[in-house]
């Protein structure tokens, strides 16, 4: 089982929704990448503003919060993801995001490229009990999947994104989505160049 990094973010991240916590998150990711077998990065309750993208280019890395009502990731960029899994060139497996919520910083207008989570060329990705809400403000896109395969999404709640709630494209296939909803967005869920997408409420 992956090592759980308890409190790794607490030592460097403020979690007040104002200070830039991206360097602390990236430091935790970089440390997790040195651990054999991967790691689970515990993100305690708080509002974590990320003014730059946190890049995860290592397999078997999990972000786990204390629940979407407690752990908030606030995107402080205009045209980039808060959490970016993969680099679009290499293949990464068994990454996960669990039990947290994503929103946009107020006063920073999001444009194309802005989103809560972006996954590129990932396999066996798990996103579970994750929400994207209009708090403090609306994201442009909620979650973006680019060349993602053989992955499992569960209990996804997305509301009021300026563009799309979820976007699946570029040979994304073999995705199982259970108990998800997107409403109040310009486009709820968009599929482009995809196949083998199973969506169910059970």
């Amino acid at each position: 089982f992956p090592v759980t990094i308890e409190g790794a973010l607490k030592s460097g991240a403020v979690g007040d929704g104002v200070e830039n916590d991206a360097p602390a998150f990236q430091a935790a990711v970089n440390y997790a990448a040195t651990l054999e077998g991967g790691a689970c990065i515990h993100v305690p309750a708080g509002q974590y503003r990320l003014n730059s993208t946190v890049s995860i280019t290592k397999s078997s890395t999990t972000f786990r919060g204390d629940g979407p009502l407690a752990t908030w990731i606030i995107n402080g960029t205009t045209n980039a993801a808060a959490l970016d899994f993969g680099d679009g060139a290499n293949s990464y497996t068994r990454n996960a995001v669990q039990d947290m919520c994503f929103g946009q910083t107020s006063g920073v207008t999001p444009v194309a490229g802005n989103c809560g989570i972006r996954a590129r060329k990932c396999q066996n990705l798990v996103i579970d009990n994750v929400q994207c809400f209009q708090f403090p403000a609306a994201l442009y896109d909620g979650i973006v999947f680019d060349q993602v395969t053989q992955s499992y999404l569960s209990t996804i709640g997305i509301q009021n994104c300026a563009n799309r709630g979820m976007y699946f494209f570029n040979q994304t296939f073999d995705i199982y989505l259970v108990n998800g909803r997107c409403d109040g967005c310009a486009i709820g869920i968009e599929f482009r160049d995809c196949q083998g997408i199973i969506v169910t409420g059970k």
Side-chain angles (χ1 to χ4, degrees), residues 128-197:
D128 178 51
N129 196 26
V130 167
Q131 299 176 359
C132 297
F133 281 162
Q134 190 178 3
F135 177 83
L139 293 157
Y140 188 78
D141 290 324
I143 308 175
V144 175
F145 304 91
D146 177 358
Q147 286 185 286
V148 175
T149 62
Q150 300 169 332
S151 297
Y152 186 85
L153 318 175
S154 175
T155 317
I156 311 296
I158 300 179
Q159 288 185 336
N160 300 324
C161 289
N163 192 38
R164 292 167 294 221
M166 286 190 282
Y167 183 31
F168 301 81
F169 76 108
N170 193 17
Q171 301 181 46
T172 289
F173 60 88
D174 291 348
I175 306 295
Y176 188 73
L177 169 61
V178 58
N179 293 335
R181 61 177 291 179
C182 295
D183 57 89
C185 309
I187 301 171
I189 304 176
E190 181 174 349
F191 301 97
R192 188 181 298 271
D193 190 22
C194 299
Q195 59 181 331
I197 311 292

Side-chain angles (χ1 to χ4, degrees), residues 96-108:
V97 181
Q98 300 172 325
D99 303 324
M100 58 181 60
C101 189
F102 292 80
Q104 177 68 19
T105 300
S106 59
V108 179

Side-chain angles (χ1 to χ4, degrees), residues 77-90:
T77 74
T78 60
N79 61 349
L83 300 183
D84 190 6
F85 289 86
D87 54 18
N90 302 292

